[in-house]
Amino acid sequence: MNAFQLLELFISLSLQATLLALTCWALGRCTANDCTRARIWSTCQIALLSLFVLAISLPHVRLLPSPGTQSPDQLADATLIGSRWGQIIVIFWAAGAAFSLLAMLRSAMKLRRLLQESPTSPTLMANLPVALQQQLAGIDLRITNHLQHPFCWQFHRPLIVLPRSYLCLSPQELSLVLRHEIAHLQSAHPLGLWLQRIVETIYWYHPVVWWCGRQLSLSRELVCDMAATQTRDEIAQYLRVLLKVVEQADEADPRVWGLGLLFGGDFGALAQRARRLAERASRPQSFPASNGAAALVIAACLLITTAWLPLNPLNSSRALWSPCPAWTSSVLHDVGISVRDYEIYDRQLDWQDRLQDRIDLPAATNSMQPASGD
C-alpha cells in the first residue's frame, strides 16, 4: 500500500466513522431505554474497530466513480503531490497513536501501583448485608487513602476500591454505591473500557469518536444507576450520595482516569445522572435492552464500509473491488488462495516515466549548478 492509498484510507475511514456515529446517535434518539442506548454505544465501539480492521485488511467496493482520465503529466503531478501528503498524514497519525498508547500504558502502571497499595477490608465485608455479601462473592473489596471516588477494575480478578472517606456513609448509602459497582462488573464494563481506549487510540485525531466515547461512558453510568436503585426511597438516598460526591471532590482523580470506571466522573455527567434518576422516580423504567438495536448498528457498519472516497488517481475503473492489501494477499497466497493484489488499468499511460522525471529533475538541476568559488 503506497502513500497515496494510505491517504485515501485515512480520509475514507474518517468519513465512515462519522457516518457510524451519526447512525448511533439517530438510533439513540429513537429510544428512551437507557439499557438500549448503552447497547447501541457499546456496539458502536466494536463497529469502529471493525471498520479499521476491514479497511486495512480487505478490499473495498468502489461504488463512487474513479477520477477521470488525465494526461500523463497531470497523473504524475497528482501522484507526487498525493504521495507527499500521504506520508505526512501517516507520520502524523503514527505519532499521535504512539503517544496515546504510551499514555494508556502509563495509566495502567499507575493503576497497578495503586492496587498494590490498597489493602483488602474483611471487616467491611462482614458488616455488609448478607444479600450484598453474596453479590460480592469472588470480588476483592479494597480501601484506599489515595482516591476521592470509588472505582472498579476487572482484568484477571474483579475488584472494587473504595476511598476511606466513603466509610462514613450510612449502610444504606454504601450499599447503593457497591451495587452500582457490582453492576459495572456484572456487565463487564471495565473490559469494555479497555476496548474503548483502544478505539480512541486508533482514532485519536477524530473528535466524533471521542464524543462517542463520552456517550458510552454516560450510558454505562445510567444503566448501573438504574441497577443500584429500585424504589423511590433508594433513588432519594442515591441522589444524596451524588451530592456528597460533588461536595467532596472538585475533579476526578487523574491516577485512574484512563482505565478505571470512576463512580463520580465529571460534574456534567453527574448532573445528567441526577436528572435521569429524578425522571425515573416519577416514571419507573424496567425494560430490558433490545438486541435489535445492536443488530442495526452492525448492519449499518457493513453498509458504511461502502462509503469509500476515490481520491487515488491510479484507481482503475474496470474493477468493482479494489486490490487486496499486500499483507492480506500474502497470507492468502501462502494457504493456496489466489486473490488480485494489483490494479486493472484501462489505459496505457507513461505516467511512471513522467513521475520518475519529476523526481530526478531536482537532483539533475543541483548537479548542473557550479560549485562555489569556480
Side-chain angles (χ1 to χ4, degrees):
M1 185 174 289
N2 57 41
F4 214 146
Q5 291 172 323
L6 290 173
L7 174 64
E8 184 180 79
L9 183 149
F10 179 86
I11 297 178
S12 299
L13 189 60
S14 300
L15 173 64
Q16 292 176 4
T18 302
L19 294 175
L20 180 63
L22 291 175
T23 302
C24 293
W25 173 80
L27 291 174
R29 296 279 293 180
C30 295
T31 179
N33 189 342
D34 292 329
C35 295
T36 300
R37 287 177 178 172
R39 184 71 59 83
I40 290 172
W41 290 114
S42 60
T43 309
C44 178
Q45 298 296 312
I46 299 174
L48 285 169
L49 184 61
S50 300
L51 286 176
F52 176 78
V53 174
L54 292 175
I56 65 174
S57 60
L58 295 179
H60 58 269
V61 63
R62 288 171 169 170
L63 298 181
L64 297 177
S66 301
T69 303
Q70 305 178 54
S71 67
D73 289 333
Q74 292 175 333
L75 194 58
D77 291 337
T79 302
L80 187 59
I81 295 174
S83 297
R84 288 173 179 172
W85 276 105
Q87 293 171 358
I88 292 173
I89 287 182
V90 168
I91 295 173
F92 171 75
W93 174 84
F99 179 82
S100 300
L101 182 60
L102 290 175
M104 186 171 66
L105 294 177
R106 181 172 176 266
S107 177
M109 293 176 62
K110 287 186 175 182
L111 182 57
R112 182 173 178 272
R113 189 180 307 116
L114 174 66
L115 295 178
Q116 291 175 345
E117 298 172 356
S118 302
T120 58
S121 180
T123 304
L124 175 61
M125 181 72 75
N127 295 332
L128 295 175
V130 177
L132 190 57
Q133 291 184 26
Q134 294 176 350
Q135 291 182 334
L136 289 169
I139 301 175
D140 284 342
L141 186 58
R142 303 190 181 190
I143 304 298
T144 181
N145 295 319
H146 304 294
L147 292 180
Q148 298 170 330
H149 300 297
F151 80 96
C152 61
W153 171 258
Q154 185 179 22
F155 197 72
H156 298 295
R157 181 184 177 95
L159 57 88
I160 298 173
V161 180
L162 288 175
R164 194 167 296 277
S165 59
Y166 272 63
L167 301 182
C168 300
L169 297 176
S170 66
Q172 295 81 8
E173 293 173 340
L174 184 58
S175 296
L176 292 174
V177 173
L178 290 174
R179 280 156 58 177
H180 175 97
E181 300 301 325
I182 291 172
H184 275 309
L185 295 174
Q186 289 177 342
S187 302
H189 286 167
L191 297 179
L193 182 61
W194 274 96
L195 175 62
Q196 179 183 340
R197 293 294 178 247
I198 293 173
V199 171
E200 291 172 348
T201 297
I202 295 173
Y203 296 92
W204 66 268
Y205 61 92
H206 207 314
V208 173
V209 173
W210 288 93
W211 175 78
C212 291
R214 290 193 296 271
Q215 298 303 311
L216 174 58
S217 299
L218 176 61
S219 64
R220 275 194 296 246
E221 298 303 322
L222 293 176
V223 168
C224 294
D225 289 344
M226 184 171 62
T229 55
Q230 304 299 328
T231 65
R232 289 187 177 182
D233 290 339
E234 290 180 344
I235 291 177
Q237 292 178 351
Y238 198 81
L239 287 172
R240 286 193 288 270
V241 173
L242 295 181
L243 180 59
K244 291 179 181 179
V245 169
V246 176
E247 293 174 347
Q248 289 179 358
D250 294 332
E251 60 183 8
D253 195 303
R255 297 184 67 180
V256 295
W257 178 87
L259 297 174
L261 287 169
L262 287 169
F263 177 79
D266 60 86
F267 287 169
L270 284 172
Q272 295 184 59
R273 290 166 62 186
R275 183 166 56 251
R276 191 60 174 160
L277 285 167
E279 293 175 356
R280 282 191 53 238
S282 58
R283 296 190 301 273
Q285 181 188 113
S286 59
F287 301 105
S290 173
N291 293 326
L296 288 176
V297 175
I298 296 300
C301 174
L302 296 176
L303 181 62
I304 288 171
T305 56
T306 61
W308 197 275
L309 299 178
L311 302 178
N312 191 350
L314 303 182
N315 289 343
S316 173
S317 59
R318 294 179 58 186
L320 179 61
W321 291 88
S322 69
C324 189
W327 39 78
T328 305
S329 60
S330 63
V331 173
L332 294 177
H333 290 163
D334 290 341
V335 297
I337 301 176
S338 179
V339 295
R340 180 173 61 84
D341 55 359
Y342 55 89
E343 286 283 6
I344 302 175
Y345 291 106
D346 55 1
R347 57 188 181 271
Q348 295 295 329
L349 298 175
D350 57 345
W351 62 270
Q352 290 181 326
D353 294 336
R354 304 295 179 91
L355 177 61
Q356 189 63 39
D357 291 341
R358 281 156 176 74
I359 295 175
D360 295 340
L361 182 60
T365 303
N366 293 333
S367 62
M368 293 175 61
Q369 293 178 354
S372 59
D374 290 349

